[in-house]
Amino acid sequence: MTSLLGKSTLYDMLACIIPGYLLLQLAKLLFAPNITLNIDNVCIAIGVFTLSYLTGLLLKWLMENILNGFLRNTPNRIRRAYDKSNCIFEKKDLPDKEEDLMQKYYIAYYKALKGNMNSSIPTLEAQIAFLRSILPVIFLYLATSYCWLVKIGHGYCLFIFITIIILIGCIALIWHLQDKLHQLVWEDAYYAELIDKSVTPTTNNP
């Protein structure tokens, strides 16, 4: 239970709270730059936390639907990850039908989680969810930068350049982490199955 709560906290913190808080800060810069929120006040802190979490959940849902066919689980990338997996075994041919392939992958995914073979899978999922949620926030900071950068007096061109580099880097990183996740799922499921077979007691027939 403690491990589950720890993973849930990491996932929520990365995927929801941080992007939601950054988006709220952008809204404050644009529409209420002179308002100062005293987060030492418990009520204000709880309100900011709640709004950040809800905003982050909305961002997460939005990006999961927008990027479903691009930076999510797709048959071609799952098949490619299977071919690249480092398992020392004779690989079986994957199903040709997309539905059968996805079913086989999700069976492997839950088998890997059940076997608790590698704690990297939940961590990678949290990182991918965070990067997906932060993409629209970075884009909105970029799109509205002229409005609020003028108010706080920072260099406009430098900010634009750095933000574009970060945006491109986030997309590339999501692509890389998603491929790594698929590969880990195949490998961990295979080794979980090997371990199950090795510890299964054999019964001697009289």
Side-chain angles (χ1 to χ4, degrees), residues 29-164:
L29 277 173
L30 292 174
F31 304 111
N34 297 323
I35 294 179
T36 302
L37 295 177
N38 182 16
I39 59 174
D40 292 333
N41 185 299
V42 176
C43 293
I44 294 178
I46 292 175
V48 171
F49 177 86
T50 303
L51 284 175
S52 299
Y53 188 68
L54 292 175
T55 305
L57 283 175
L58 181 61
L59 282 172
K60 180 176 175 292
W61 172 80
L62 183 65
M63 295 309 293
E64 283 180 351
N65 284 276
I66 291 176
L67 300 178
N68 188 50
F70 176 54
L71 296 176
R72 294 278 290 168
N73 298 333
T74 58
N76 288 336
R77 298 180 67 191
I78 288 173
R79 193 182 301 275
R80 186 168 62 248
Y82 182 82
D83 294 335
K84 290 181 179 179
S85 60
N86 295 323
C87 304
I88 306 174
F89 66 106
E90 185 178 351
K91 298 177 183 176
K92 300 178 181 178
D93 292 334
L94 291 175
D96 292 329
K97 292 181 61 177
E98 289 187 3
E99 295 82 1
D100 295 338
L101 172 63
M102 297 305 293
Q103 182 181 29
K104 185 177 180 66
Y105 174 77
Y106 287 125
I107 290 173
Y109 173 83
Y110 287 108
K111 186 183 295 183
L113 289 185
K114 181 182 178 182
N116 196 24
M117 294 297 299
N118 197 326
S119 61
S120 295
I121 290 179
T123 302
L124 284 172
E125 288 180 321
Q127 292 171 348
I128 293 168
F130 167 71
L131 289 169
R132 279 201 302 261
S133 297
I134 207 69
L135 280 179
V137 178
I138 296 174
F139 178 78
L140 287 174
Y141 268 90
L142 181 63
T144 62
S145 57
Y146 182 78
C147 300
W148 55 268
L149 275 176
V150 171
K151 295 176 183 179
I152 60 178
H154 285 290
Y156 179 67
C157 294
L158 180 61
F159 176 83
I160 294 294
F161 176 76
I162 294 175
T163 307
I164 291 175

